[in-house]
Amino acid sequence: MNYKNKLNQIRIVLGLQVKLASAKLKDGTVVEAEEFVPGAALVVVAEDGSKSPAPTGEHTLEDGTVVLVDESGSIVSLKPLEAAEDVEEVVEEEAQKVKMEDEGPMDGSEPESPVADAVKAAIAEKIEEAMTKVMMAMEPLVTEMADMKSKMAKMEEHYAKFAKAPAAGKITTINDSKMEFGQSTDIVDRFKELKNSL
């Protein structure tokens, strides 16, 4: 899930909209997450629009689904209402696991599984490589977006000047009384007079 967080951060930097799934709790509180899946960060949306990480514990959605959240505000699991009997115990166990992972072994010895550490390091390296590739691919887009923003600013400036400019001058009409052909108002008569004068 870490790469999705990074991708959303890139979207925010570029000014793109980040789409989040939202749901309401039974008490009417609105919550959002990238996806309602384990590992995703769950955020509580206040009435004024401010967002904060969801508190540790169980949160029941309007549809009856129970969302378990750990200390960091991440979704631990999603369970239908019937399956959420010992929710507090599960949250406590998960919180203890996270706490123990953060602190390491209590006796100060090396981690139990060097293979697990090697796998974690390899995964972290692959994720870092992927993020580097994504950032390199995004670099031309960022430059292009900056160029587009400057062009758009110039166009808006030109449009503002154009909008302020006065319209074309008033078109004057020919007054029949000033015509050299005579006093006739009928166009056919005018053409006859013109023909006769030649």
Side-chain angles (χ1 to χ4, degrees):
M1 294 309 284
N2 192 19
Y3 70 92
K4 285 190 177 184
N5 291 339
K6 292 288 186 186
L7 188 57
N8 280 339
Q9 289 174 352
I10 292 169
R11 287 180 178 149
I12 291 169
V13 168
L14 293 175
L16 301 175
Q17 185 175 8
V18 178
K19 295 180 182 178
L20 298 174
S22 71
K24 280 190 176 181
L25 301 178
K26 284 205 174 197
D27 65 359
T29 305
V30 177
V31 292
E32 289 182 343
E34 290 176 19
E35 294 179 72
F36 283 93
V37 294
L42 186 67
V43 178
V44 177
V45 180
E47 289 181 19
D48 64 353
S50 62
K51 298 178 182 181
S52 60
T56 304
E58 71 173 345
H59 303 282
T60 306
L61 302 178
E62 285 183 334
D63 66 357
T65 303
V66 176
V67 180
L68 299 174
V69 179
D70 65 9
E71 292 174 346
S72 66
S74 297
I75 297 173
V76 175
S77 65
L78 297 160
K79 296 182 182 180
L81 186 59
E82 308 84 45
E85 295 171 351
D86 297 322
V87 173
E88 290 180 18
E89 290 178 23
V90 172
V91 169
E92 286 294 322
E93 288 175 16
E94 291 296 324
Q96 288 296 333
K97 286 180 187 176
V98 169
K99 197 178 226 182
M100 292 197 57
E101 287 176 4
D102 289 343
E103 294 175 0
M106 294 298 226
D107 60 0
S109 64
E110 292 296 316
E112 292 178 22
S113 175
V115 174
D117 289 338
V119 169
K120 287 180 185 178
I123 290 172
E125 184 179 323
K126 290 291 183 182
I127 290 174
E128 188 64 34
E129 287 177 20
M131 286 306 299
T132 302
K133 289 179 182 178
V134 168
M135 293 302 286
M136 287 174 46
M138 295 297 287
E139 195 171 312
L141 295 175
V142 170
T143 304
E144 187 175 337
M145 287 291 287
D147 290 344
M148 293 297 286
K149 284 183 180 180
S150 67
K151 287 179 183 177
M152 186 63 127
K154 287 179 183 177
M155 288 180 70
E156 287 175 354
E157 183 180 320
H158 290 300
Y159 177 75
K161 288 179 183 177
F162 174 75
K164 290 179 183 177
K170 184 175 179 181
I171 299 175
T172 57
T173 58
I174 300 173
N175 189 355
D176 286 341
S177 63
K178 294 181 181 177
M179 294 187 70
E180 296 178 14
F181 298 10
Q183 300 299 321
S184 175
T185 58
D186 186 18
I187 191 134
V188 175
D189 290 338
R190 288 185 197 160
F191 280 120
K192 285 181 184 177
E193 288 178 21
L194 183 62
K195 181 181 171 190
N196 291 338
S197 68
L198 295 175

